Structure formats: C-alpha cells, structure tokens
Amino acid sequence: MQKFAPSLLVMALGVALAGCQDNGPQDPKVSINKNPYPSTYQPLASQSTLITNATVLTGTGERLDNADVFFVDGKVQQVGKDLSVQADKTIDAEGKWVTPGIIDVHSHLGAYPTPSVASHQDGNEMTSPVTAEVWVEHSVWPQDPGFNRAREGGITSLQILPGSANLIGGRGVTLKNIPSHTMQGMKFPDAPYGLKMACGENPKRVYGRKGVLPSTRMGNMAGYRTAWIEATEYKREWDKYESDYAAGKNPAAPHRDIKLDTLAGVLEGDILIHNHCYKAEEMAMMIDLGKEFGYHSGTFHHGVEAYKIADLLAENGNCAALWPDWWGFKMEAYDMVQ
C-alpha cells in the first residue's frame, strides 16, 4: 500500500476542496437589445364611418357593386349591400371605388425625400460594399411631402429600404403612413426588420469605379460569401457565450459588432431578406447562397426575369416584387414580359 507524507495529504485535500469551491456570482449577462428604437405609433382618432354605394374590391379577388363598407376605430367591421348599422359619419361613394389600403413593399420615401435636395439624400451609404450596420430608419425624414402624396394614392403602409448601391445596404423599416414628427411615431408595431441586398449592375458599377471589389458579378458573389462567413463565425461566438453562461462558466462576452448583429439576425431568422435582383441566373445563385449559409433568400425586388424561374421560386418559397410596367432602362432590365 502506497504511503503519502502528511504534508502531501494536506496539499491533495486542499486541491480537492479548491475544486469544489464556489467561484462567486457570475458577471451580469451581456444581452443585445434587438429593438432599441421602439415604435410609439398610436392610431389616429376616428369616427365610426359607413361608406355606401361604392364599387368595392375586397382584396381577395371579389368585386361588389353598389356595396357598403362599415369601419370602427379604423378597422373594417362589415362589407356588403344595404348594411343596417349606426355610424357617426356616412359617405356616399356612388361612382367611386373602395379598396383595402395599399401596402408599398419597396419605397425610399423619407430617405430620398421630394423635392430632391442634396442635404436630404440619405438612402445609400456608399462607403463600403457591405454596410449591414446602417438602418434606414435613422435616415427617415417624417415630414417628406411624398408621404402625403402616397396617402392621397391610398398607400397606408410602406416598407422603406436603403438603396441598391451596395451588396448589403442595411436594414429596412416598415412604417404606417400617418402624419408624425418622429420616425418612431410612424413605425409599424412589431413588424420584422428586413435587410436590403443587391445583385448585378449597381454594386459592381459603384465599387468598380473606385477600384475595389466588386467590379464584376463574380466579385459580387465573393463579397456576399465573405460577409456571411464572418456572420457565421460571429453567431457561433455568441451562441457559445450563451451556452457557457447558462452552464455557469462565467464567460467573457464576445466583441460587439453592429454590422454582424444584423447579419446574425438573418441567420437566426429574425430579419428578412429583400434582394434587388433582376436576372434569373442571379436569383438562382442567391437561392443557393442562402442554402450555403442557412438562411432564406426572401423576396426578389425588380425581378423582371422571375418568369423564367417561376418553378424554382415556388419550390423555394421566394417572392418576387415587380413593377407593373417599368423596364428596359438598363441592360439587366431588358428581358421583361408585360
């Protein structure tokens, strides 16, 4: 039987006890505020209103002639003919049309106000091909007269996107089209954030002139992939921090990077992709890019060649947001069908 000196036994016992000691409380957990500019939107005061004798498009493919619409507190309560309701106000809409409010899914109002002056041109941060750190809501000027014109045209909600100079141009924001002195007063409560990406001619033209990547479509793809690799590693670091903290290991928080916060939000499914992309082959590559890095490639805006790959878009659950009749103004916009 092996014998130990008393001093060695004391040392061994001390080591064992030290391993069982409480290392004290953990440092406060570092959390990222995902909504630091919250909505303060409040519906405008309104009377109960009955619209009569209108041609009504329900928004579900149905047309009702000589019909009525009754709404209370800004929300439609009934649609039909000869409604028997008590309303504070009645509007005779004979000879007029009533439709649901129009949602503009791709707008630059507030970030590119009208009339156009240089001091208000805040929709493109053309200082780097990847500017996921910028949020277009920080550029929105709520007093842009364009919001009034849009309201006159029936547009009640808008997604404001940054422009398409960059491969990844920043976050979009969804607004209620109401008069307000602040962006937060227009911000659509609980709407998810979107991230603007851009394919094709715009980023390669803007940065090719500066002599930096990208200057080609292959440079575009390399730029996206580099950004998503960085985001994947960043997310892995924060996931490990969360796991280690939950296990009581008192880890040090990773370095915070607001560009990678946004890209990681896409990888987590919290932020939706809105991709400026005209050409069929580029949309197909962007779908594969999303699969490579584990995110959904979202909606293709301006996708004039979407008709060529309608089956692929349907298979992958991608949307296409198009103009009704604007095309042919540059090379990638020519192969359109009406």
Side-chain angles (χ1 to χ4, degrees):
M1 180 176 181
Q2 190 174 5
K3 296 182 178 180
F4 293 93
S7 59
L8 291 177
L9 287 171
V10 170
M11 290 174 62
L13 181 60
V15 170
L17 290 174
C20 297
Q21 285 177 353
D22 184 358
N23 292 323
Q26 292 198 82
D27 292 335
K29 184 179 178 182
V30 176
S31 298
I32 297 173
N33 183 355
K34 295 185 178 182
N35 187 27
Y37 308 97
S39 169
T40 59
Y41 164 78
Q42 293 293 328
L44 298 177
S46 62
Q47 299 174 299
S48 61
T49 303
L50 177 65
I51 301 174
T52 63
N53 303 317
T55 302
V56 178
L57 300 180
T58 64
T60 59
E62 188 177 9
R63 169 177 167 165
L64 303 175
D65 295 318
N66 299 315
D68 305 338
V69 179
F70 177 57
F71 53 96
V72 179
D73 295 330
K75 295 184 178 180
V76 173
Q77 303 297 316
Q78 294 185 52
V79 179
K81 294 189 177 184
D82 301 321
L83 296 182
S84 179
V85 295
Q86 294 294 321
D88 296 326
K89 180 170 65 173
T90 299
I91 300 171
D92 185 354
E94 184 176 1
K96 297 180 173 61
W97 296 73
V98 175
T99 76
I102 298 169
I103 301 169
D104 186 346
V105 299
H106 186 129
S107 175
H108 300 294
L109 290 180
Y112 281 124
T114 49
S116 174
V117 293
S119 64
H120 280 167
Q121 299 304 289
D122 292 318
N124 264 316
E125 182 60 40
M126 293 185 286
T127 52
S128 172
V130 176
T131 55
E133 65 269 32
V134 303
W135 299 19
V136 77
E137 65 193 60
H138 299 150
S139 284
V140 168
W141 180 42
Q143 282 77 60
D144 179 359
F147 287 122
N148 294 330
R149 304 291 83 76
R151 251 192 320 274
E152 291 172 357
I155 295 173
T156 57
S157 301
L158 313 95
Q159 178 177 225
I160 311 300
L161 294 168
S164 52
N166 297 344
L167 297 173
I168 302 177
R171 293 199 197 196
V173 65
T174 303
L175 303 179
K176 294 284 237 176
N177 195 9
I178 65 164
S180 176
H181 291 119
T182 68
M183 173 277 297
Q184 292 93 324
M186 301 176 74
K187 197 170 183 178
F188 201 117
D190 301 321
Y193 276 109
L195 179 66
K196 177 68 174 293
M197 296 178 65
C199 297
E201 293 182 17
N202 287 14
K204 78 187 191 79
R205 181 186 69 249
V206 169
Y207 292 95
R209 288 173 179 172
K210 298 179 181 183
V212 297
L213 186 147
S215 64
T216 62
R217 283 181 165 84
M218 60 185 172
N220 286 354
M221 288 299 293
Y224 304 132
R225 298 182 75 207
T226 299
W228 290 117
I229 287 170
E230 292 176 2
T232 300
E233 293 303 316
Y234 183 75
K235 181 177 181 298
R236 183 178 291 117
E237 290 175 3
W238 276 95
D239 288 347
K240 185 177 187 304
Y241 169 74
E242 295 277 351
S243 176
D244 287 351
Y245 193 93
K249 297 181 180 180
N250 203 21
H255 174 71
R256 179 85 183 274
D257 186 311
I258 60 173
K259 176 179 77 173
L260 297 176
D261 281 349
T262 291
L263 297 180
V266 173
L267 299 179
E268 291 166 355
D270 296 333
I271 299 174
L272 309 179
I273 294 292
H274 293 274
N275 199 330
H276 165 116
C277 203
Y278 289 77
K279 291 170 69 62
E281 72 276 10
E282 289 185 288
M283 293 181 225
M285 285 190 290
M286 300 307 289
I287 289 171
D288 280 348
L289 179 70
K291 292 177 179 177
E292 180 181 5
F293 292 100
Y295 69 87
H296 184 247
S297 44
T299 299
F300 294 112
H301 293 248
H302 314 315
V304 299
E305 293 188 17
Y307 68 94
K308 297 180 179 181
I309 54 166
D311 54 347
L312 178 63
L313 299 179
E315 178 185 341
N316 288 279
N318 296 106
C319 296
L322 313 182
W323 295 292
D325 58 2
W326 192 33
W327 61 283
F329 54 94
K330 59 178 177 176
M331 191 65 191
E332 66 186 2
Y334 266 100
D335 209 355
M336 170 74 169
V337 293
Q338 292 285 357

